[in-house]
Amino acid sequence: MARTRFVGDAGLTARMTLVMFLLGGLFVALVVVLAAVVGGGVGILIGVAGIGFAVYQWSSSDKIAMRAMRAREVTPQEAPELHGMIDRLCTLADMPKPRVGIADTSVPNAFATGRSPDRAVVCVTTGILGLLTTEELEGVLAHELSHVAHRDVLVMTVASSSGIAAGMLTQGAQYGGLGFFGGGRRDNNNGLPVWLVVLLVSLVVYAVSFVLLRLLSRYRELSADRAGAYLTLKPAALASALQKISGGMQRVPERDLRQVSAGSALCISPISLKGLASTHPPLEKRLEQLARIQGELDRPTA
């Protein structure tokens, strides 16, 4: 975590380290199995492709997210009030100021992305600007800035590479795309078709990656709520903002939601994928945590 005045979260650091270690191990296992059942060339190719994809996501995460959310960077002259809020929060948190962006959509939301605090961007939608009060918006921005300070966006971006590589292999095996690597062989030493072995291994890696990333993503949202609330000392304002955002998205046309759904995992409130597949904890759980923090802050000191 970068040195800022955001409260530390040893649990988040431990979880990010564990997920990166487990996903790295899964990726290595995937490469080894493919090398054994299909050929060493495939293992090397998948390893290089996976590393290359992770590097690409690491270096271009801000551009990819901005493009997915149809956002643009804005100057202090274009959005003076928004820049002013972020200036104050960054001074309060003692952290570098990220770039600032606005997405022209009625979907009320916000997100942060970038490979480091120096390359980060915090973006809000026009929908959220017209929905929240100043205090509520500051609570949302503090939440997003804590993601930058915790560097959890970087971890989520790189960690997703193993699942994406496994998903590509699954599709390739399913549709016979591995034939020129040796997938045309009818069976391996165990008597199973090579494409079936590749399919099963890839599915296992993808499923485990999916579960690990969802668990980490939900925890990091709770961590960002907590850090943002302690920075502003106004957890009730963030709780009010989350309720307004959730209610506001229910009134947004489905077509508009689909246009920005690709960036849902980065947003403060989920746009798609509810229930077990959600990248965010239930709203009730987030509100309960913020209520506890508010009670703690309201408690008179001896």
Side-chain angles (χ1 to χ4, degrees):
M1 177 177 171
R3 291 185 178 275
T4 69
R5 294 195 182 114
F6 281 108
V7 294
D9 194 326
L12 178 62
T13 302
R15 284 168 172 79
M16 289 194 297
T17 302
L18 179 61
V19 167
M20 289 291 285
F21 176 79
L22 292 176
L23 290 180
L26 278 173
F27 186 74
V28 170
L30 174 63
V31 171
V32 170
V33 170
L34 287 174
V37 301
V38 181
V42 171
I44 295 173
L45 179 63
I46 295 302
V48 171
I51 294 172
F53 191 80
V55 170
Y56 170 73
Q57 287 205 314
W58 170 79
S59 63
S60 307
S61 59
D62 53 339
K63 297 177 183 178
I64 295 172
M66 292 284 279
R67 194 179 305 121
M69 293 295 293
R70 302 186 178 187
R72 63 184 179 87
E73 189 174 344
V74 293
T75 65
Q77 291 73 33
E78 293 174 295
E81 292 184 6
L82 180 60
H83 271 271
M85 288 185 197
I86 294 178
D87 283 332
R88 289 193 296 274
L89 290 169
C90 287
T91 299
L92 187 62
D94 191 23
M95 66 178 291
K97 180 184 177 182
R99 290 172 292 146
V100 181
I102 293 179
D104 187 13
T105 173
S106 61
V107 179
N109 232 311
F111 70 93
T113 186
R115 64 177 182 259
S116 68
D118 294 330
R119 290 286 301 172
V121 57
V122 171
C123 180
V124 298
T125 66
T126 52
I128 203 173
L129 290 175
L131 180 66
L132 303 184
T133 66
T134 299
E135 282 192 351
E136 291 166 345
L137 185 56
E138 284 187 340
V140 167
L141 293 173
H143 168 107
E144 296 304 334
L145 288 171
S146 75
H147 281 312
V148 176
H150 290 154
R151 298 178 184 264
D152 55 49
V153 176
L154 169 64
V155 172
M156 291 294 294
T157 301
V158 175
S160 64
S161 301
S162 61
I164 293 174
M168 293 170 61
L169 274 176
T170 300
Q171 289 185 332
Q174 183 177 358
Y175 296 106
L178 295 171
F180 67 100
F181 288 122
R185 290 180 294 170
R186 294 305 300 169
D187 51 47
N188 56 27
N189 293 334
N190 296 322
L192 289 175
V194 170
W195 70 266
L196 181 58
V197 174
V198 173
L199 178 63
L200 291 175
V201 173
S202 302
L203 281 173
V204 170
V205 173
Y206 179 80
V208 174
S209 300
F210 182 89
V211 171
L212 288 175
L213 287 172
R214 289 305 183 275
L215 293 175
L216 176 58
S217 181
R218 293 173 196 172
Y219 185 88
R220 83 186 186 102
E221 292 300 331
L222 289 172
S223 177
D225 285 347
R226 186 163 52 249
Y230 278 120
L231 182 71
T232 63
L233 301 179
K234 297 176 182 177
L238 178 55
S240 177
L242 291 175
Q243 289 174 298
K244 283 187 178 180
I245 294 170
S246 179
M249 284 201 293
Q250 293 176 10
R251 296 189 292 271
V252 175
E254 188 67 29
R255 181 193 63 183
D256 293 346
L257 292 175
R258 285 197 301 269
Q259 288 178 346
V260 295
S261 61
S264 179
L266 295 176
C267 292
I268 190 170
S269 187
I271 298 171
S272 57
L273 295 177
K274 309 293 183 181
L276 294 177
S278 178
T279 53
H280 293 61
L283 177 61
E284 294 75 15
K285 187 172 183 179
R286 301 175 75 176
L287 296 179
E288 288 173 4
Q289 175 181 249
L290 291 171
R292 287 195 300 271
I293 296 173
Q294 186 68 63
E296 176 188 326
L297 296 175
D298 291 341
R299 192 177 304 129
T301 56

